[in-house]
Amino acid sequence: MNKYKKILMQLFIFVNITLISMFAYLKYPSFFSLFENKLNDVMFLARGDKTADDRIVIVDIDEKSLQQLGQWPWSRNKIATILEHLTQYGAGIIGLDIVFAEKDNSSPKLVLQKLGLKNIAAEDYDKILAETIAASPTVTGYVFALKNDTLEKRETLPKTTAIIIEKNKPEKSSLIKPYRAIVNIPVIKNAAYSSGYFNTIPDEDGVVRSIPMIMEYRGLLYPSLSLELTRLALGERKVVINYYKKGVESIRIGKITIPTDRFGRMIINYRGRQHKYKYISACDIYANKIDPKEIAGKIVLVGTTAAGLLDLRSTPFDSVYPGVEVHATAIDNILNQEFLARPSWIIGFDIVDIFLSLSIAFGLLLIPNAMLSFTFLTLFITGLLFMHYYTMTEKGLLINTLFPLAGISFLFVIGEAVNYFLESRQKERIKQKFATKVSPAVVEELIANADSDTFDVKEKEITILFSDIRDFTSISEKMDSAKSLINLLNEYMTPMVDIITKYKGTVDKFIGDAIMAYWNAPTDVQDHPDKALQSAIEQILRLETLNIKLSKEKKPNINIGIGINTGVSVVGEMGSIGRSDYTCIGDSVNLASRAEGLCKVYASKIILSEYTKKMLKKDNYFLRELDTVRVKGKNKPVTIYECMGYKEKHWVNFNENDTRIYTEALKLYKNSHFKEAKKLFTRLNNANVQKLYTIYIQRCEYYIHNRPKDFDGVFTFTNK
């Protein structure tokens, strides 16, 4: 029943996400285009660079040229010299990615006229440039102002020799209609054979991904500079615009059909990062330093990469990309017919793609094994992305990637959430079943990693903590009933266990009034020695608050000792076939238990071994060395330390001077200077009576009268 319920819920989710995806794709394409464009950009970057057409050359007004020929704008006789040299080199056609919208104020003739000297013969740089353009295969450039900039419109229209034919034109044209034209001054405009606009319109994110091939201005159609240069280079006169009911479908020049969107924009198939084409500094052309073979018969674009001239764009490959190279790439795409397109029929293909992708994802979601399902889904998404990538890079078709990918993601996330919801009750039953046998932390690990080796027996470095109530027998005698005693134990153990859990410890077992806990098993715990010691300190501090409450309730106060050790132990699931638990055993566990027992001997609240101390990462603990001992059952001596809280908050009256004296006394004791050590321990004890000082005073007195041979400073305990 649960199985069929799960399938029906997944089917309901699949149908709704599929319908929502299709509706969003058809209804709000422009809103989601930003995200789709970014996905296509990633595919561009994955494709990498492609070889550019070597028939296209860029004459660059770069920083070097500005340095040698002076700041921009140059006097137009310099531009004329560059065009003259390009013509002499045999350039096939020259395109100017520059507009000369105003007269050259540096022209000698204009300067003299302003001075009132009209009859003196002088050079007219505008005329010189116009004559050079007329005598060269040059196509001039201009620019459209696309929005109302409040400036006055001029009556002069751009010049073009293209014959533009429209087929199946709908009643309302979708071509871009600019506000006004910023054209060359009449003498230059009239001298040119033809011209083309060099507008590049970025998408909403500022990236140039397409160029409008045709614009409609005052009821007339005008080609872009790249389209006009290509038309003339191919020797064609006509440009045919093919429409469908929503707008432009394609533009044809001779036998070449250029796919566009409904606004007449061609998507640029960039060859890679900037400078894929041959760049020649304009100053080198001006100085006539170029081998004519680099120019002969080629399409030459004159533009700029100088940062100060602001003709830089953002593309999928580069955030700073010369505008002139955008036009070079457009020409390259047309000549080699390497287009990127979204034809009108692609909408139907996208709908089918969305449906099939979500259907396959739905089938994968029903696989019972979550890991297997996720693996197949990952392989499917990888295959889907590769198919879209291949279609774009090899076939030039831009299939929508966003909606299939987003739909699959939503379907899988929501579907897995439903799976989790339906299976949560089963997990709760597992928890209830195992919580009586193992600690809650182990239960969670069992549920999360049921198929892993988490519970296999293995050696692992852990930190173990033992705590025990002092004089528990005396406390038991003071309680009026067994129930009251149990309630008191619960009142004590509950906050202690909460503190251990807070610091990511696992409570292994309760041994009467004692607690055993460990860190770094079954799951890894970073800095586990620190967390164990912090847990112990907080337990002591919490116990002070608890004892105040117990005193008010006229109940016995509770004092505990805590022993901590770090080392490699055997951890894993142990026990009988019918009853097992995750626990740890070994010498490290025994040493932690012995450390807790030594709290009674030294009247300490927390004792940790040297192994734990060495691994502490923090240095804000208030520690002092207690002794070097051999505990029962171990031959190897171990140095033990007492923790008295934090440096800024501790529970033992022990200042810096006491620390210095104590350290010196302990050093004298270990070096067999018992009389001197006794004096210092006595001095400390007189100022602040402590059992630790009494122990060392008694030892010193014994060794003074019974001088040991080969004294190593180690005290051997014969009982636990």
Side-chain angles (χ1 to χ4, degrees):
M1 189 67 187
N2 286 336
K3 179 181 177 182
Y4 291 122
K5 182 178 180 181
K6 176 180 173 181
I7 293 174
L8 286 174
M9 289 188 70
Q10 300 288 16
L11 181 61
F12 176 79
I13 293 167
F14 159 70
V15 171
N16 279 275
I17 289 179
T18 302
L19 292 176
I20 291 171
S21 298
M22 291 179 178
F23 175 79
Y25 170 80
L26 294 171
K27 190 70 176 177
Y28 304 104
S30 59
F31 177 80
F32 294 101
S33 62
L34 174 64
F35 307 102
E36 177 65 20
N37 288 337
K38 292 297 182 185
L39 286 172
N40 291 336
D41 291 348
V42 172
M43 293 185 189
F44 258 128
L45 293 172
R47 185 207 69 185
D49 292 353
K50 295 188 72 173
T51 303
D53 195 325
D54 60 5
R55 294 174 293 176
I56 302 170
V57 175
I58 295 173
V59 173
D60 188 10
I61 303 171
D62 54 8
E63 301 292 348
K64 173 185 172 183
S65 298
L66 295 180
Q67 187 178 32
Q68 293 189 16
L69 299 181
Q71 68 180 23
W72 186 264
W74 293 335
S75 58
R76 287 175 189 163
N77 62 326
K78 293 180 181 179
I79 304 293
T81 301
I82 292 171
L83 295 179
E84 184 180 345
H85 289 171
L86 289 173
T87 304
Q88 291 171 0
Y89 295 151
I93 191 167
I94 304 168
L96 295 181
D97 186 20
I98 307 167
V99 61
F100 305 103
E102 305 293 341
K103 292 183 178 181
D104 186 349
N105 290 323
S106 67
S107 178
K109 182 176 181 180
L110 189 59
V111 171
L112 292 174
Q113 285 178 352
K114 288 181 178 179
L115 294 173
L117 304 174
K118 298 182 180 180
N119 298 323
I120 299 176
E123 288 184 322
D124 184 344
Y125 290 165
D126 289 326
K127 185 177 180 181
I128 291 172
L129 177 58
E131 291 173 350
T132 304
I133 289 173
S136 65
T138 300
V139 175
T140 56
Y142 63 94
V143 65
F144 279 123
L146 300 178
K147 296 182 179 179
N148 187 345
D149 55 9
T150 70
L151 296 178
E152 184 181 353
K153 294 182 181 180
R154 296 181 178 178
E155 294 302 322
T156 305
L157 296 175
K159 180 178 181 179
T160 180
T161 58
I163 299 172
I164 300 178
I165 300 171
E166 298 176 282
K167 288 188 175 182
N168 304 317
K169 183 180 180 180
E171 291 184 7
K172 187 176 180 180
S173 172
S174 57
L175 289 171
I176 298 171
K177 299 174 180 61
Y179 173 70
R180 68 185 183 94
I182 304 169
V183 299
N184 294 286
I185 59 176
V187 65
I188 295 176
K189 188 193 79 165
N190 295 332
Y193 175 73
S194 190
S195 63
Y197 61 84
F198 48 80
N199 292 78
T200 55
I201 304 175
D203 293 330
E204 291 182 0
D205 58 353
V207 178
V208 175
R209 298 185 179 89
S210 63
I211 290 182
M213 291 285 104
I214 297 287
M215 288 196 204
E216 182 179 335
Y217 180 59
R218 296 193 181 184
L220 299 176
L221 304 184
Y222 294 93
S224 67
L225 180 63
S226 52
L227 181 65
E228 188 67 354
L229 285 171
T230 309
R231 179 185 72 82
L232 294 172
L234 294 173
E236 299 291 339
R237 295 207 58 187
K238 293 185 292 184
V239 175
V240 179
I241 304 176
N242 297 308
Y243 291 92
Y244 73 115
K245 62 180 181 179
K246 288 188 176 181
V248 180
E249 172 124 41
S250 64
I251 296 172
R252 183 165 54 82
I253 304 175
K255 295 181 179 179
I256 298 176
T257 299
I258 305 167
T260 68
D261 65 6
R262 65 191 186 95
F263 303 107
R265 297 177 300 190
M266 182 186 80
I267 301 171
I268 305 298
N269 189 355
Y270 286 100
R271 321 318 285 160
R273 299 190 181 278
Q274 60 176 294
H275 286 76
K276 292 297 295 180
Y277 298 91
K278 175 71 175 179
Y279 273 76
I280 302 174
S281 289
C283 61
D284 291 337
I285 301 289
Y286 182 85
N288 211 5
K289 295 180 180 179
I290 300 301
D291 184 349
K293 293 180 180 178
E294 295 183 359
I295 299 295
K298 297 187 178 181
I299 299 174
V300 180
L301 282 164
V302 180
T304 178
T305 63
L309 302 187
L310 304 178
D311 189 25
L312 299 173
R313 305 289 183 264
S314 177
T315 72
F317 283 96
D318 276 306
S319 58
V320 177
Y321 190 93
V324 64
E325 193 164 351
V326 176
H327 304 297
T329 306
I331 295 169
D332 187 342
N333 291 168
I334 299 171
L335 290 177
N336 295 285
Q337 301 186 57
E338 293 188 8
F339 301 112
L340 293 175
R342 282 188 54 79
S344 56
W345 55 264
I346 206 72
I347 295 175
F349 185 93
D350 284 342
I351 291 295
V352 173
D353 187 37
I354 292 169
F355 177 76
L356 290 178
S357 298
L358 288 173
S359 298
I360 294 172
F362 170 67
L364 297 176
L365 188 62
L366 297 179
I367 297 176
N369 187 308
M371 184 57 68
L372 191 63
S373 175
F374 180 76
T375 301
F376 280 126
L377 179 75
T378 303
L379 293 173
F380 171 63
I381 290 176
T382 303
L384 181 70
L385 290 174
F386 178 78
M387 183 195 78
H388 285 214
Y389 168 80
Y390 175 82
T391 305
M392 184 188 84
T393 57
E394 300 299 325
K395 302 300 180 181
L397 291 174
L398 294 177
I399 302 171
N400 187 280
T401 305
L402 174 67
F403 281 95
L405 197 61
I408 291 170
S409 301
F410 279 116
L411 176 63
F412 221 75
V413 169
I414 297 174
E416 287 299 333
V418 169
N419 288 344
Y420 176 82
F421 174 77
L422 294 176
E423 293 168 4
S424 59
R425 292 182 180 179
Q426 183 180 357
K427 289 185 177 182
E428 285 301 319
R429 287 196 293 270
I430 293 174
K431 285 185 180 181
Q432 293 172 4
K433 179 179 179 180
F434 284 94
T436 58
K437 296 183 178 183
V438 297
S439 64
V442 177
V443 174
E444 295 295 339
E445 186 70 20
L446 175 62
I447 292 172
N449 302 285
D451 299 325
S452 71
D453 63 349
T454 302
F455 299 101
D456 292 350
V457 176
K458 56 190 171 186
E459 288 189 340
K460 190 174 186 181
E461 180 186 81
I462 61 173
T463 297
I464 310 101
L465 178 148
F466 278 88
S467 71
D468 188 43
I469 298 177
R470 297 288 168 259
D471 300 322
F472 183 68
T473 302
S474 175
I475 293 174
S476 301
E477 292 173 351
K478 294 177 183 178
M479 303 303 294
D480 54 7
S481 67
K483 183 177 180 181
S484 298
L485 179 62
I486 295 300
N487 289 338
L488 179 64
L489 273 177
N490 290 339
E491 195 172 359
Y492 152 72
M493 286 188 172
T494 299
M496 301 301 112
V497 170
D498 289 343
I499 291 169
I500 291 169
T501 306
K502 172 184 172 182
Y503 287 94
K504 299 184 179 180
T506 299
V507 176
D508 183 84
K509 59 176 69 74
F510 301 102
I511 312 166
D513 60 317
I515 300 173
M516 175 185 170
Y518 49 81
W519 279 257
N520 208 40
T523 56
D524 293 340
V525 177
Q526 190 174 6
D527 301 336
H528 51 91
D530 286 276
K531 286 186 168 55
L533 184 53
Q534 289 165 3
S535 165
I537 294 172
E538 189 165 329
Q539 288 180 65
I540 299 298
L541 295 174
R542 180 68 179 83
L543 196 57
E544 292 178 2
T545 306
L546 178 61
N547 280 331
I548 294 172
K549 178 177 179 294
L550 294 176
S551 296
K552 290 180 180 179
E553 297 173 354
K554 300 187 183 305
K555 295 178 182 178
N557 281 8
I558 296 174
N559 292 304
I560 64 173
I562 298 176
I564 302 174
N565 180 47
T566 301
V568 176
S569 298
V570 177
V571 295
E573 194 171 11
M574 305 175 198
S576 66
I577 295 175
R579 175 71 170 88
S580 64
D581 196 6
Y582 187 93
T583 187
C584 51
I585 58 173
D587 286 343
S588 297
V589 179
N590 295 334
L591 184 54
S593 178
R594 299 291 186 272
E596 180 274 314
L598 292 176
C599 288
K600 300 175 184 177
V601 176
Y602 296 95
S604 300
K605 294 184 182 294
I606 302 173
I607 291 180
L608 57 147
S609 71
E610 62 180 273
Y611 309 115
T612 299
K613 181 181 179 297
K614 287 177 182 177
M615 295 187 65
L616 294 174
K617 299 292 180 63
K618 299 180 182 292
D619 61 355
N620 62 331
Y621 309 111
F622 191 17
L623 303 175
R624 68 174 171 183
E625 182 180 338
L626 281 181
D627 207 348
T628 302
V629 299
R630 288 188 186 90
V631 297
K632 182 175 174 59
K634 290 183 70 69
N635 294 323
K636 184 180 179 181
V638 59
T639 301
I640 56 175
Y641 295 82
E642 179 182 18
C643 177
M644 299 169 284
Y646 296 109
K647 290 178 180 178
E648 68 277 5
K649 185 176 182 181
H650 49 85
W651 51 77
V652 175
N653 185 12
F654 197 66
N655 56 42
E656 292 184 6
N657 188 51
D658 293 337
T659 302
R660 181 183 57 79
I661 297 172
Y662 175 76
T663 303
E664 180 63 24
L666 193 61
K667 182 178 179 182
L668 290 169
Y669 168 79
K670 290 188 174 183
N671 290 324
S672 304
H673 301 302
F674 301 116
K675 289 181 180 181
E676 294 84 351
K678 179 186 173 184
K679 289 179 182 179
L680 293 180
F681 283 124
T682 303
R683 178 180 168 186
L684 288 168
N685 200 44
N686 290 337
N688 180 17
V689 176
Q690 290 187 23
K691 187 175 181 180
L692 176 63
Y693 304 149
T694 303
I695 291 172
Y696 276 110
I697 290 170
Q698 291 173 352
R699 288 186 193 175
C700 288
E701 288 177 348
Y702 177 80
Y703 289 139
I704 289 170
H705 296 96
N706 302 279
R707 190 81 182 174
K709 294 181 179 179
D710 301 324
F711 182 71
D712 58 2
V714 179
F715 188 83
T716 302
F717 285 92
T718 56
N719 50 25
K720 295 184 180 179

